[in-house]
Amino acid sequence: MVTFNLSNYNPGPFILVGIPGLEQCHVWIGIPFCIIYIVAVVGNCILLYLIAVEHSLHEPMFSFLAMLAVSDLVLSTAGVPRTLSIFWLRAREITFPGCLTQMFFLHYSFVLDSAILMAMAFDRYVAICSPLRYTTILTPRTIIKIAVGISFRSFCIILPVVFLLTRLPFCRTRIIPHTYCEHIGVARLACADIFVNIWYGFGVPIMTVISDVILIAVSYSLILRAVFRLPSRDARHKALGTCGSHVCVILMFYTPAFFSILAHRFGHNVSLTFHILFANLYIVIPPALNPIVYGVKTKQIRDKVILLFSTKATE
């Protein structure tokens, strides 16, 4: 019978340092983080409320947008409250199960965000390249299948990371120079070979995200080809306008994501303070900006937001 050393699976609390080099400024750094987090929560909740109550927003595009809002809430909530507790309350200890839980939801929501953006690109492709078949292709049943499929895919990709960490013995320092638990940062504290952790943790998620980016690029190549074949300039402008908000969100998500991933793996000359500060901004700024971008660039949402607040003001 194989026996396991249970101490490896629950090695005791870890210490989250925060942002190394800026400990004296933690209280002040926490203020903008808190404000941006509140904007993210309020913005995404308003978006979800409007999509839920407004019948005119019960379309495939807004169903995917609601999924993105939920995933963004998970991403920011998994990281920011813990960060603020470190900054303001000096609550630096986190249990090993708590660390694994935070890590899972951070990585899961990141991979899920990427999959949702891919699904939204497919939605825009069908809407512009096959508008007459849009409602027959993206039926409610199909949307549910896509939602379940991308959620299950993200779960299957990230769950092994948890087990890769639980197999490691932690017999050295348990101090994590970060504000939250992430896979490679925790694995590097182990007193064992972490070759599998490094290459699974870096290779599988990044290849998954790259495949999403390739499919998004293919979708938009086909979209642009279809748009520039339209005879009317107004029609071309309208078609591109429906994709504008999505393109902005794609750039806001992937640009800092790839920088953070590559800097963590290869950027040995990148300052640790800058890297961790940037990693924290990444988990809070895109979730805060996404509902604003969609609210500004999507007429249906913009009109509903104006109506919502004008109604509140007259009550």
Side-chain angles (χ1 to χ4, degrees):
M1 182 181 295
V2 178
T3 59
F4 296 93
N5 183 358
L6 294 179
S7 64
N8 291 350
Y9 291 84
N10 192 4
F14 289 88
I15 304 298
L16 292 166
V17 172
I19 304 177
L22 295 179
E23 288 87 354
Q24 301 301 319
C25 304
H26 277 176
V27 173
W28 301 107
I29 295 173
I31 295 174
F33 271 91
C34 182
I35 294 172
I36 299 171
Y37 176 64
I38 292 172
V39 171
V41 172
V42 172
N44 284 290
C45 287
I46 290 175
L47 198 58
L48 288 169
Y49 171 77
L50 291 175
I51 293 172
V53 302
E54 294 293 340
H55 183 73
S56 61
L57 299 181
H58 293 174
E59 299 177 6
M61 171 185 172
F62 299 108
S63 298
F64 292 126
L65 183 54
M67 288 184 60
L68 184 66
V70 172
S71 183
D72 281 345
L73 285 172
V74 173
L75 177 64
S76 57
T77 302
V80 178
R82 166 59 64 176
T83 298
L84 294 178
S85 70
I86 296 169
F87 287 169
W88 290 344
L89 305 177
R90 296 188 178 181
R92 298 180 177 181
E93 283 195 1
I94 184 170
T95 64
F96 186 58
C99 190
L100 292 178
T101 302
Q102 183 187 48
M103 181 207 66
F104 173 80
F105 281 107
L106 282 170
H107 293 327
Y108 172 78
S109 55
F110 168 77
V111 176
L112 182 59
D113 263 5
S114 178
I116 294 170
L117 291 176
M118 177 185 65
M120 294 174 77
F122 174 70
D123 167 80
R124 292 299 83 203
Y125 164 75
V126 176
I128 292 175
C129 298
S130 300
L132 299 179
R133 301 174 58 201
Y134 182 67
T135 55
T136 57
I137 294 175
L138 288 173
T139 62
R141 185 182 181 88
T142 302
I143 294 171
I144 292 174
K145 288 181 179 179
I146 293 174
V148 172
I150 61 179
S151 299
F152 184 69
R153 186 198 76 160
S154 302
F155 179 83
C156 291
I157 290 170
I158 299 303
L159 186 62
V161 172
V162 176
F163 292 103
L164 287 174
L165 281 180
T166 58
R167 72 182 181 86
L168 295 175
F170 295 90
C171 54
R172 294 198 297 258
T173 178
R174 297 191 182 104
I175 298 175
I176 304 174
H178 212 309
T179 57
Y180 55 79
C181 295
E182 52 87 26
H183 175 219
I184 301 300
V186 176
R188 284 176 175 162
L189 300 179
C191 48
D193 181 23
I194 60 170
F195 177 82
V196 176
N197 293 74
I198 290 175
W199 288 107
Y200 185 91
F202 177 76
V204 175
I206 197 68
M207 292 307 298
T208 302
V209 171
I210 287 175
S211 67
D212 292 343
V213 171
I214 291 172
L215 291 173
I216 290 172
V218 170
S219 296
Y220 272 93
S221 297
L222 296 173
I223 287 171
L224 289 174
R225 187 178 70 175
V227 166
F228 287 114
R229 287 180 176 178
L230 295 174
S232 168
R233 177 180 296 180
D234 290 338
R236 291 196 295 269
H237 185 269
K238 183 178 180 180
L240 290 174
T242 63
C243 300
S245 55
H246 188 220
V247 172
C248 290
V249 169
I250 288 172
L251 293 175
M252 287 191 305
F253 177 79
Y254 284 114
T255 303
F258 278 117
F259 175 83
S260 182
I261 292 171
L262 295 175
H264 191 80
R265 182 66 183 88
F266 300 109
H268 303 295
N269 295 324
V270 177
S271 165
L272 181 62
T273 300
F274 174 79
H275 182 205
I276 294 175
L277 183 61
F278 188 86
N280 278 274
L281 291 174
Y282 167 69
I283 67 171
V284 69
I285 287 183
L289 291 181
N290 287 350
I292 296 174
V293 169
Y294 276 106
V296 170
K297 296 187 72 67
T298 306
K299 186 177 185 301
Q300 298 101 309
I301 295 177
R302 185 171 64 247
D303 292 344
K304 297 303 179 183
V305 170
I306 293 172
L307 181 62
L308 175 67
F309 283 99
S310 62
T311 302
K312 295 290 185 182
T314 56
E315 289 179 355

